[in-house]
Amino acid sequence: METIKRLPTHPGDVLKEEIKSRSISQKKFAESAGVPYTQLNEILNGKRPISTDFALMMEAALGITPELLINMQNRYNNSY
C-alpha cells in the first residue's frame, strides 16, 4: 500500500473555517477578540504563526482548545 504524505494544516485554516461557519466577518471578529485585523488576517491565511497567548484568546472567543491550535502549529512548523 502506498503512503500518501500531506503537509500539516496551519491552525489558521481551522480558525478561518470556524469564523466563516459562524458568519462573522474577519474585521468584526478581530474587533471583538481584541486583536489587530492585520494580525488575524495573516494568521488565517497561514502567513503568521499563532502564539500561546493568541491560542488562549481563541479559546475564550470560539471555545477551541488552545492545545489543539498549538499542537497544529508545532506540527506545521516541524514540516518545513
Side-chain angles (χ1 to χ4, degrees):
M1 178 188 271
E2 188 175 330
T3 303
I4 299 173
K5 290 187 176 186
R6 70 182 262 282
L7 293 174
T9 302
H10 189 279
D13 291 337
V14 171
L15 294 172
K16 190 177 205 175
E17 286 301 314
E18 185 63 29
I19 292 167
K20 184 178 177 183
S21 73
R22 295 180 188 212
S23 300
I24 308 169
S25 75
Q26 288 183 23
K27 279 198 173 205
K28 269 246 194 274
F29 182 74
E31 288 172 15
S32 68
V35 297
Y37 170 74
T38 53
Q39 176 187 4
L40 176 67
N41 185 265
E42 288 173 356
I43 289 170
L44 298 183
N45 290 309
K47 296 179 181 176
R48 183 179 191 152
I50 63 158
S51 65
T52 302
D53 288 340
F54 186 84
L56 290 169
M57 292 170 69
M58 295 303 99
E59 178 184 35
L62 298 171
I64 298 173
T65 62
E67 294 85 7
L68 170 72
L69 298 174
I70 293 186
N71 287 338
M72 288 180 76
Q73 185 65 58
N74 287 336
R75 280 193 297 276
Y76 186 82
N77 292 348
N78 292 331
S79 70
Y80 290 96

